[in-house]
Amino acid sequence: MDSNNGAGRAFIGSFTSAGGRGITVAAVDEETGALTVLGATDAVPDPSYLALGRGTGPGGAVLYAVSETEKGAAAALDISQDVPRPLGETRLVDGNGPTHLALAGGHVVTANYGSGSVTVLPVLADGSVGEAGCVLAHEGSGPVVARQEGPHAHQVLPDPSGNWVLSVDLGTDSVRICALEPDTGELRLHGETVLRPGTGPRHLAFHPAGGHAYVLNELEPTVTVCRWDAAAGLLEAVGEAPVLPSEARGAAGPASYPSEVVVAHDGRFLWVANRGHDSISVLALDATGEQASLVTTVSCGGHWPRDLALDPTGRRLYAANERSGNVSWFAVDPETGVPAPKGSLEVPAASCVIFA
């Protein structure tokens, strides 16, 4: 099957070091959301996170992957066929354990968890990745000594205006706001929003209206609601909401480590994946986007959901369940936001799901 620019396909990352296939390509059934494997490649070791961009090759679309290894790397892949093929060289990120990447200002930007840094690599004319340029090292620590002995950048993404790059650091309990110079790839620190100590922020997602962001905390099962001022590049924490019911947050409940937060296309709901509790939380947002309240939780359809993704239609959620080795999908009730299980695909050591 030719890509048709990747339409109707999902790309699933997995840990090759834990028996995963690497990057799996799956067709997505338009009516049911069911996934059918088309091909896979292990050309990139431990591709824990993926992103889509554009290139000049056949089909136009290019897949980018981090290699979450000690000598962290980033790679581009041609996805014009069912089995992705490396495009250009795999590039070291001059940092270790990269867990996330995003495209911003004509560059690939990686969040390097192990080294607590963010790396900028240019995207070349054909869509391949150039050598690492700017590396911005984070500084600081947090009170949870076992996890926050130093900085641990976990996610990096551009804001909706495209003027800023934000990096979420679990080790320093903060989010950094940076300006990226498109011509040189220089990443300049603009500001840092410090969150409640010991919460361990992991990922954030923006409200579709652009004025709010929701920071998901890994070390406490909460989400921090923030106002976002794109003109000033200012992120301001204004509240917190639990993502698990009270009985699951106490010592009697299983240890839970939230992994991903997703916002509904219409801005009415938040969904959160919870590892350990093995659930998807549904939170309702008020009309302003500033108040979040827990509605319910449902089973994630597996064990240890590392990632949660909304399909392009906004009607279905997909959970990448790392330890049970499957991707499960759910139909979302448009009125309540509650996901109902619809199916599952075996994907050993699944780490993330993205859609063309």
Side-chain angles (χ1 to χ4, degrees):
M1 170 177 130
D2 289 332
S3 72
N4 189 26
N5 291 339
R9 295 200 295 174
F11 301 90
I12 306 166
S14 63
F15 289 98
T16 56
S17 60
R21 304 181 187 114
I23 299 170
T24 298
V25 183
V28 184
D29 186 279
E30 192 174 304
E31 296 301 319
T32 67
L35 301 177
T36 304
V37 173
L38 299 172
T41 179
D42 60 1
V44 180
D46 289 345
S48 64
Y49 205 81
L50 309 171
L52 278 168
R54 305 293 298 176
T56 58
V62 175
L63 186 69
Y64 297 93
V66 290
S67 179
E68 190 177 335
T69 55
E70 186 173 353
K71 290 185 176 180
L77 298 105
D78 178 341
I79 53 171
S80 59
Q81 304 298 321
D82 291 342
V83 177
R85 295 172 294 176
L87 179 64
E89 296 183 40
T90 296
R91 304 290 188 177
L92 295 178
V93 299
D94 295 340
N96 60 55
T99 53
H100 196 268
L101 83 168
L103 292 162
H107 295 77
V108 167
V109 189
T110 69
N112 310 317
Y113 182 86
S115 52
S117 60
V118 172
T119 301
V120 182
L121 307 97
V123 174
L124 306 181
D126 64 351
S128 63
V129 180
E131 292 185 358
C134 177
V135 179
L136 181 67
H138 290 185
E139 297 180 354
S141 59
V144 183
V145 178
R147 297 291 308 278
Q148 297 183 309
E149 80 294 343
H152 291 298
H154 210 300
Q155 183 201 33
V156 61
L157 76 167
D159 84 309
S161 75
N163 294 327
W164 307 100
V165 173
L166 284 74
S167 56
V168 183
D169 196 302
L170 185 149
T172 63
D173 291 315
S174 63
V175 179
R176 288 167 174 80
I177 298 98
C178 295
L180 176 63
E181 172 53 55
D183 292 336
T184 65
E186 180 185 1
L187 198 64
R188 177 177 51 82
L189 182 63
H190 171 75
E192 182 177 1
T193 299
V194 178
L195 303 178
R196 186 164 59 82
T199 51
R202 177 183 172 96
H203 279 198
L204 73 76
F206 284 98
H207 190 279
H212 291 86
Y214 308 94
V215 183
L216 181 64
N217 301 308
E218 178 174 333
L219 302 185
E220 290 191 13
T222 58
V223 64
T224 303
V225 180
C226 300
R227 293 178 188 146
W228 171 244
D229 182 342
L234 179 64
L235 187 72
E236 177 190 7
V238 295
E240 278 187 23
V243 300
L244 290 175
S246 56
E247 62 269 20
R249 300 196 302 271
S256 186
Y257 304 95
S259 61
E260 184 61 292
V261 57
V262 174
V263 185
H265 291 171
D266 61 7
R268 295 175 57 213
F269 302 104
L270 283 180
W271 297 283
V272 169
N274 303 294
R275 295 168 298 174
H277 193 257
D278 290 343
S279 63
I280 298 172
S281 302
V282 183
L283 289 86
L285 294 173
D286 71 352
T288 69
E290 199 152 301
Q291 298 292 327
S293 55
L294 180 63
V295 175
T296 190
T297 63
V298 301
S299 170
C300 68
H303 179 32
W304 212 253
R306 185 181 174 91
D307 190 39
L308 190 65
L310 194 62
D311 81 340
T313 71
R315 295 180 295 157
R316 287 181 285 265
L317 277 170
Y318 293 74
N321 300 309
E322 181 183 350
R323 295 186 181 174
S324 55
N326 69 304
V327 172
S328 50
W329 56 91
F330 304 79
V332 175
D333 186 306
E335 297 303 318
T336 66
V338 176
K342 294 298 179 181
S344 180
L345 175 70
E346 179 185 357
V347 183
S351 60
C352 76
V353 184
I354 66 168
F355 295 91

